[in-house]
Amino acid sequence: MNNEESVGCYLFCVYQGEQDAEYGEATMSGVSSKVRTITHNGLSMVAADLPVKIYAPKKDDLLAHQEVINQVMKEHSVIPMSYGTVLSSEEDVKLLMEKIEPQLKETFPKIENKIEVGLKVIAKKDWLAERVHKDPQLNKMNQVTAKDSYYRQIEAGEKAKNFIHSLRTEYETKLASPLEKLSVSTKLNEPVSERMLMNASFLIEKSMEEEFDKKVNELYEELSDQVDFNYSGPWPAYNFIELKFKAEGAV
């Protein structure tokens, strides 16, 4: 920390109940501080005394932020604060807690004893190439080159787009449908790569985690020659919380 930086309260997450607690230390941007709670109006905000500054999304800092949340999640159902939220003083934190208290109290019952897990499904290159080869129209369009007419190139692009869309619909049905039966809520997010067939988040009861994991493993065994799974969690209910606020004094 340089001499020009003042110390404020960096926020990690909030949970129900006033509890004076400590959660070890967190190191953000090379500065370490004890993680503690700030309690107010039946709520506990998990925070650390860290510099008031803009926290660039560096890998180590992102991991440190998430690690604190993961630790608190072992004991409580939490609502996470956005990475890099830091207020000037403890008093500002309490003012924020008062401001968002109605939203928090409306949200907590929806996430109590629940966790979020994520499942990204990526098509294997060889399998995808085989599917393309088996599609007569797409295989024909695959022969289009830069020398072909602009219309032909556009047509080829549209057919490829429709092919991927139908493939995603097919695998969302195969995978999301059976998993939805074990979850409280499901959110299908936009795929982030061409070969990604599904990018889903599931809100599940903590008591259902083992059964849900088992189902994911069963589905992977069925489809492991076609796709790869990126299964992550447990997380706080990031995709199922709509908490909007402007924190006075936040950087």
Side-chain angles (χ1 to χ4, degrees):
M1 181 175 72
N2 64 53
N3 294 330
E4 296 179 0
E5 291 175 340
S6 59
V7 175
C9 296
Y10 183 101
L11 310 184
F12 295 96
C13 59
V14 60
Y15 59 84
Q16 289 190 102
E18 292 192 25
Q19 180 184 29
D20 292 323
E22 295 183 3
Y23 297 95
E25 283 195 348
T27 301
M28 304 287 293
S29 294
V31 179
S32 297
S33 179
K34 181 172 63 179
V35 179
R36 61 189 176 89
T37 54
I38 297 171
T39 59
H40 190 62
N41 282 6
L43 298 167
S44 293
M45 181 72 77
V46 180
D49 298 326
L50 289 166
V52 178
K53 54 178 278 187
I54 294 173
Y55 286 84
K58 297 177 181 177
K59 182 179 178 181
D60 288 348
D61 288 349
L62 289 164
L63 289 173
H65 177 93
Q66 187 59 48
E67 181 55 37
V68 171
I69 295 174
N70 289 347
Q71 186 178 350
V72 181
M73 277 180 64
K74 294 175 183 177
E75 302 174 11
H76 303 280
S77 296
V78 308
I79 293 177
M81 296 291 108
S82 298
Y83 170 83
T85 301
V86 56
L87 303 186
S88 299
S89 67
E90 191 167 317
E91 186 59 35
D92 285 336
V93 176
K94 291 182 178 180
L95 288 172
L96 171 65
M97 292 165 78
E98 285 183 7
K99 184 176 183 179
I100 65 175
E101 183 181 354
Q103 294 181 67
L104 295 176
K105 291 192 172 178
E106 181 182 348
T107 301
F108 274 119
K110 299 175 183 177
I111 65 162
E112 190 68 28
N113 295 316
K114 298 177 184 68
I115 55 173
E116 177 180 321
V117 292
L119 179 61
K120 293 181 173 68
V121 180
I122 299 97
K124 290 180 181 285
K125 286 183 179 179
D126 291 345
W127 174 82
L128 188 58
E130 186 180 343
R131 284 289 296 254
V132 169
H133 184 71
K134 287 180 178 179
D135 186 304
Q137 282 192 318
L138 194 62
N139 194 37
K140 184 178 178 181
M141 286 294 154
N142 207 31
Q143 308 304 316
V144 173
T145 69
K147 293 180 180 180
D148 287 287
S149 69
Y150 180 69
Y151 173 77
R152 285 274 291 165
Q153 293 178 50
I154 293 293
E155 185 182 14
E158 284 300 314
K159 286 189 181 296
K161 183 178 177 181
N162 292 338
F163 170 77
I164 290 295
H165 178 74
S166 64
L167 208 54
R168 285 172 176 163
T169 301
E170 176 186 339
Y171 277 78
E172 284 173 1
T173 301
K174 282 182 179 179
L175 296 167
S177 296
L179 293 172
E180 280 178 341
K181 296 174 183 176
L182 301 174
S183 64
V184 177
S185 186
T186 303
K187 184 174 182 182
L188 294 175
N189 305 301
E190 283 296 315
V192 294
S193 69
E194 288 184 357
R195 290 193 294 120
M196 187 173 290
L197 303 183
M198 189 177 82
N199 181 12
S201 300
F202 300 91
L203 186 67
I204 62 174
E205 298 282 354
K206 286 182 179 179
S207 60
M208 292 292 290
E209 185 178 5
E210 187 175 341
E211 187 174 348
F212 195 91
D213 290 350
K214 182 180 177 182
K215 189 62 178 177
V216 170
N217 288 331
E218 288 175 2
L219 291 167
Y220 178 69
E221 289 300 319
E222 291 175 20
L223 302 168
S224 60
D225 61 328
Q226 305 168 18
V227 296
D228 290 316
F229 279 15
N230 182 346
Y231 183 45
S232 63
W235 308 105
Y238 287 111
N239 283 282
F240 303 93
I241 294 172
E242 294 184 6
L243 187 63
K244 298 179 181 179
F245 64 88
K246 182 177 167 93
E248 297 297 330
V251 175

